[in-house]
Amino acid sequence: MDVEPLSPETVVVLVNGWGSIPRAEGARAEAPPASAAPLPDWATADATALERIADLLFPVFATAGTAERAELITGLLRRTKVLPTVSADGDSVAATWSVKDPRDALTAAAALTLRRQLAEHDPARVGTCAADGCADVYIDVSARAHRRFCSVTCQNRTRVAAFRRRTK
């Protein structure tokens, strides 16, 4: 089965919505329904599979070391047995990725996204929210590359708390 990398936003939504650690830290007891996942048409997974995949991906975001992140992503790629392939459509040739087991397709696609992100951008652009009580993940695709929070809400909450501590 051919797979394509997911968008960075889709990987973030997958981990934050279905990952057990981000949900626990954010006091979100239940995962959203599997039908709420912004997944491509070829990806089929129930809520249990989405949670398992999100929990496999979370350590890549939570680890600060570049070498350890690279090992984690390599492990995911090996686990899913994703292979580079070449397909022909008439006279045109395209480089693609494939997995033998369709159940591994979503994990492989997310791992390919993280592989590309880390290989082509500063590894520090992948992380977990710096706000207290939040473990949501982010992939910084901004031009300035200074992101430390999962959302503006967490950023503002942290800044307001720091301001209040300073002005007491």
Side-chain angles (χ1 to χ4, degrees):
M1 170 178 193
D2 286 347
V3 295
E4 297 177 13
L6 303 171
S7 71
E9 297 81 18
T10 300
V11 175
V12 167
V13 168
L14 174 65
V15 175
N16 290 341
W18 284 270
S20 60
I21 295 170
R23 282 197 334 267
E25 286 290 320
R28 299 184 306 262
E30 294 189 28
S35 60
L39 302 175
D41 293 338
W42 53 261
T44 57
D46 61 11
T48 303
L50 290 170
E51 182 174 338
R52 181 184 54 77
I53 293 166
D55 287 346
L56 286 171
L57 298 170
F58 181 80
V60 175
F61 292 89
T63 301
T66 302
E68 190 173 349
R69 278 189 177 147
E71 287 177 25
L72 289 168
I73 292 170
T74 300
L76 288 170
L77 294 170
R78 285 184 179 143
R79 177 184 181 148
T80 60
K81 299 178 182 143
V82 64
L83 297 170
T85 58
V86 178
S87 61
D89 185 17
D91 289 336
S92 64
V93 175
T96 59
W97 297 94
S98 68
V99 293
K100 288 184 180 182
D101 189 344
R103 293 174 296 187
D104 290 331
L106 187 56
T107 306
L112 288 168
T113 302
L114 292 170
R115 173 191 170 273
R116 180 174 51 196
Q117 182 67 32
L118 287 154
E120 296 176 6
H121 303 285
D122 180 3
R125 287 177 165 241
V126 173
T128 57
C129 187
D132 290 336
C134 184
D136 281 357
V137 303
Y138 63 85
I139 296 176
D140 186 356
V141 295
S142 69
R144 302 180 105 205
H146 294 299
R147 188 168 180 176
R148 295 182 348 180
F149 299 95
C150 67
S151 66
V152 174
T153 302
C154 278
Q155 180 179 0
N156 289 341
R157 191 176 297 134
T158 300
R159 287 182 177 176
V160 167
F163 174 78
R164 288 185 178 152
R165 281 193 303 275
R166 286 192 310 269
T167 58
K168 277 189 176 181

